[in-house]
Amino acid sequence: QYQGLAGRSTNEVLQLYSAHGRQQKLQRSSVVTQLHGAIKKRLKQDLKSLRSFALELSKDFQRQSKIYLYQVLTAVQGIQLQNEAMQMFQIKAFDLEQSLQEVTERYEKEKQKRRALHNSLVELRGNIRVHCRIRPLLPFDTAAGHSISQDRQRNLSENVAFAADDETVLVKCSRPGHASINKTFQFERVYSASESQDTVFEDVAPLLTSLLDGYNVCIMAYGQTGSGKTYTMLGPQLEENSAFSIEDESQLGIIPRATEELFRLISEKPPGSYWVEVSVVEVYNNEIFDLLAKDGCGKVSGVKRDVVTTREGKSDVPLLTYETVENPSEFLHLVNKGLQLRVRHPTLVHAHSSRSHLVVTLTITTIVCGENFG
């Protein structure tokens, strides 16, 4: 395009150059205008899309906010309900604690009243009570090999002594050449020959409550050889030794039954509030033998003990052995050990008759507020 300028004047060249510049300027202006329009259009589209996205985002945020707000309100309400329930629970717990304290106080008062009434009843029935038990005829009463007259045989087939009622024993007295007469004897309680060991123990059981209340209790069996003292107090004895049999619980005597009941009553008390000790003593020919004492080898052997009189005028055996027991089995084991050391000598009516008196003592110590009361 510059070839056409040859031979042209300077003014013409300048004019042509100026016209060309204006044309390029117009072209550039047109391009800029087109580019500006395209950018503006694109910006409008992007702005519209951005507005739509912002609107959707706003709506989604509002929805999420409502959900979260509902969850927060629900959680707050749940916490408030739990707090209210906790407060109600604390109020009820406090009321129950107060009620429990009141009931406990009333229980302690009633227990004291019951204890007083129980021991008053025991005293009203008599601090010393005598019961009589009639045993049935046994095989050794008519043992083979003994000459028995016809009159004696006839008498053995009859009841000479029997219980007229719960408090009266009737004895038929007859002598040759004299008319038969009946004599009656009164006791606080009479057990017929058919009454069981359970029945006998029922009258003894209340004394165990007094024992735990701190009262001294003594149960003594008295009677001639073969009258049933050992059976009543311990139960049936084994033939090979003096130990008593515990195979048939219905035949157990007062001592093992009382021990079972005593430890049952103790189990209802706070743990460690009681402990029990036992001693087994034999009185033979006016001498005292400790049946739980051990020799130098640790073997149990009856040791003679002396009886002394204290300043208070009471009799005491200072060196007497006391063994601590924690259950009925341990107690009965010690009693059986002592029984095997007793002096025995057969008689016409009792092949394993003991020739001594046996004293089994349970000593109960009560712990109250760190102090011991025996």
Side-chain angles (χ1 to χ4, degrees), residues 5-270:
L5 296 178
R8 290 179 181 268
S9 63
T10 303
N11 290 333
E12 288 178 346
V13 172
L14 291 173
Q15 288 177 356
L16 288 173
Y17 181 78
S18 176
H20 180 70
R22 286 194 298 272
Q23 186 179 1
Q24 287 184 340
K25 186 176 181 181
L26 288 173
Q27 289 177 352
R28 287 195 298 270
S29 177
S30 176
V31 171
V32 170
T33 301
Q34 291 176 0
L35 182 61
H36 181 269
I39 293 173
K40 185 176 180 180
K41 184 178 180 180
R42 183 61 181 269
L43 287 175
K44 285 182 178 180
Q45 291 177 353
D46 291 343
L47 182 60
K48 186 177 181 180
S49 299
L50 184 60
R51 285 178 178 175
S52 298
F53 176 75
L55 182 61
E56 291 296 328
L57 184 62
S58 176
K59 291 180 179 178
D60 185 65
F61 176 76
Q62 290 178 357
R63 287 194 301 269
Q64 294 294 333
S65 297
K66 289 181 179 179
I67 294 174
Y68 292 149
L69 180 60
Y70 175 76
Q71 292 177 348
V72 170
L73 291 176
T74 302
V76 170
Q77 290 177 353
I79 293 173
Q80 290 177 347
L81 291 175
Q82 289 181 355
N83 289 337
E84 292 176 359
M86 181 63 69
Q87 291 177 355
M88 293 296 296
F89 176 77
Q90 289 176 346
I91 293 173
K92 290 182 178 180
F94 179 77
D95 293 340
L96 288 174
E97 186 177 356
Q98 292 292 109
S99 300
L100 179 61
Q101 185 176 357
E102 293 175 0
V103 169
T104 302
E105 292 176 356
R106 289 201 300 269
Y107 171 74
E108 290 297 329
K109 291 180 181 179
E110 292 299 325
K111 187 167 69 172
Q112 295 294 333
K113 290 181 180 178
R114 179 207 58 78
R115 180 182 298 175
L117 289 173
H118 170 81
N119 292 309
S120 296
L121 177 62
V122 171
E123 292 178 358
L124 287 173
R125 294 176 65 183
N127 286 332
I128 299 177
R129 299 197 296 274
V130 181
H131 294 189
C132 179
R133 187 179 193 186
I134 301 173
R135 75 157 174 82
L137 294 175
L138 298 176
F140 63 73
D141 290 320
T142 56
H146 296 284
S147 58
I148 303 177
S149 64
Q150 293 183 351
D151 291 340
R152 175 62 176 163
Q153 185 68 40
R154 185 174 62 255
N155 288 337
L156 287 174
S157 65
E158 299 176 356
N159 285 330
V160 177
F162 59 91
D165 54 44
D166 287 348
E167 298 179 351
T168 307
V169 174
L170 189 147
V171 179
K172 295 180 179 180
C173 301
S174 61
R175 290 183 299 172
H178 295 77
S180 177
I181 59 174
N182 294 332
K183 292 186 177 181
T184 59
F185 300 89
Q186 298 293 321
F187 299 91
E188 277 78 15
R189 179 70 164 88
V190 173
Y191 305 101
S192 66
S194 62
E195 291 190 89
S196 65
Q197 299 276 65
D198 291 327
T199 303
V200 176
F201 181 69
E202 286 176 1
D203 290 329
V204 174
L207 298 176
L208 300 176
T209 302
S210 297
L211 180 62
L212 288 181
D213 288 343
Y215 287 80
N216 292 326
V217 174
C218 175
I219 303 173
M220 182 181 70
Y222 177 80
Q224 70 182 44
T225 299
S227 60
K229 301 184 298 297
T230 300
Y231 176 78
T232 297
M233 295 301 292
L234 291 171
Q237 286 183 283
L238 302 176
E239 292 299 325
E240 61 270 17
N241 54 44
S242 293
F244 59 94
S245 172
I246 57 175
E247 295 179 358
D248 187 357
E249 293 186 357
S250 65
Q251 298 296 315
L252 289 178
I254 290 175
I255 290 178
R257 289 173 183 268
T259 307
E260 288 280 354
E261 178 65 12
L262 182 65
F263 278 100
R264 186 193 69 79
L265 293 173
I266 290 176
S267 68
E268 298 176 352
K269 308 294 182 181

